[in-house]
Amino acid sequence: MAVIIEVLNKQLKVIERHRFSQARIGLGRAYDNELILYNKHICAHHAELIQSEDGQWQLRDLNSLNGSFLTGKRVNDEPVPLASGQLCWLGEQAIRLYDEHYPVTATQPFSPIEQGLQRFGHPALIVLFALLLLAAELFGLWLQSADNRQDRWTHGLANLPLMLVGIALWPALLGVWAKLNQHEARFLPQLGITFAALLLIEVWQAAMALLNFNLDGATAVVWLSELGQVLLVVLLLSANFYLALQLPTSKKLAIAALLGVIINLQGVAMNLLQHDERALLPEYDSSLLPLSFYLREPLSHDEFLQQHTGLFQRSAQIAEKPLKD
């Protein structure tokens, strides 16, 4: 009866799979072994697998330096029976044995979500998302540089390539993590997803800024803006983790939601720490846009005076009241 041997890494992920039909299989670093293992802590002839007359596979250690272990117990020169699917260690090297009749897991159908996310890796889409993201950044730079100062434009334009490189680091880290866990890197789909999500965030922030400007800084718009940004960050991380992590979907979504909330709370905390009400220096107010972005009909001079006459009267009444100790 044939035996299938899986060679595993330290995370117990399969890195090699071999099938043998002979009754004896030598294990070690020497080149005359049937299964050659490359771990430096394994002896030249470390152990052997022997098939008994009744077809039972057994493990026997060949007086190795670092030993062979089965269910936590060291194996000596007496053969120890192995069950199909059982894990054993040769020094620090893990292997797993199966007989040829061991049942395999059910075939998994293609995931429509995964196939959809893979389409973001098309080079034309990545270039399109990158150009749109640059256009959004240039538009924001134009809004913040109302005085058209040359130094602001030069500094802002110089930072755009650095911004794209910084964005690309996140998909690269996800790809490295996936490779370390014996999974496909999928760098291009991750890059396309990241560009698309950041573009959505830019569009959302622009839409909320326009709405905030036209509603005169309504508090509800501020909360809606923050909530939408949290949801978009969670969506980005969910898509990233769906391709990079080998975990159940529910766990991927939970990790993405937790990180998304933490990232946005950290941004709010930094804004609060940096805000100093005692500072009298002028600050740029991003809620103020050019008048052409105001969608409602602006008040005329006379209408403005009529609506705000009472404001001066109330101010005068408050000023006449004596101050309380």
Side-chain angles (χ1 to χ4, degrees), residues 189-238:
Q190 295 281 24
L191 184 61
I193 290 169
T194 303
F195 278 150
L198 292 178
L199 179 61
L200 282 177
I201 293 174
E202 289 280 355
V203 172
W204 176 259
Q205 290 176 341
M208 289 298 101
L210 182 63
L211 186 61
N212 182 61
F213 180 62
N214 282 274
L215 294 181
D216 302 324
T219 305
V221 178
V222 178
W223 284 102
L224 181 61
S225 176
E226 292 295 331
L227 178 61
Q229 185 164 314
V230 170
L231 292 178
L232 288 174
V233 172
V234 171
L235 180 64
L236 166 62
L237 295 177
S238 298

Side-chain angles (χ1 to χ4, degrees), residues 116-132:
L117 293 176
Q118 290 274 32
R119 293 190 179 97
F120 282 88
H122 195 284
L125 274 180
I126 295 175
V127 172
L128 176 62
F129 292 147
L131 291 177
L132 291 176

Side-chain angles (χ1 to χ4, degrees), residues 213-291:
F213 180 62
N214 282 274
L215 294 181
D216 302 324
T219 305
V221 178
V222 178
W223 284 102
L224 181 61
S225 176
E226 292 295 331
L227 178 61
Q229 185 164 314
V230 170
L231 292 178
L232 288 174
V233 172
V234 171
L235 180 64
L236 166 62
L237 295 177
S238 298
N240 290 148
F241 294 160
Y242 195 92
L243 294 179
L245 302 183
Q246 292 179 305
L247 293 173
T249 303
S250 58
K251 290 187 177 180
K252 295 176 184 178
L253 293 177
I255 295 173
L258 179 62
L259 287 179
V261 172
I262 291 175
I263 290 172
N264 283 276
L265 287 179
Q266 184 181 14
V268 172
M270 290 298 295
N271 289 333
L272 291 176
L273 290 175
Q274 293 176 359
H275 181 68
D276 188 357
E277 296 183 350
R278 296 171 300 176
L280 300 178
L281 296 176
E283 295 182 0
Y284 171 76
D285 189 352
S286 60
S287 64
L288 299 178
L289 300 177
L291 190 59

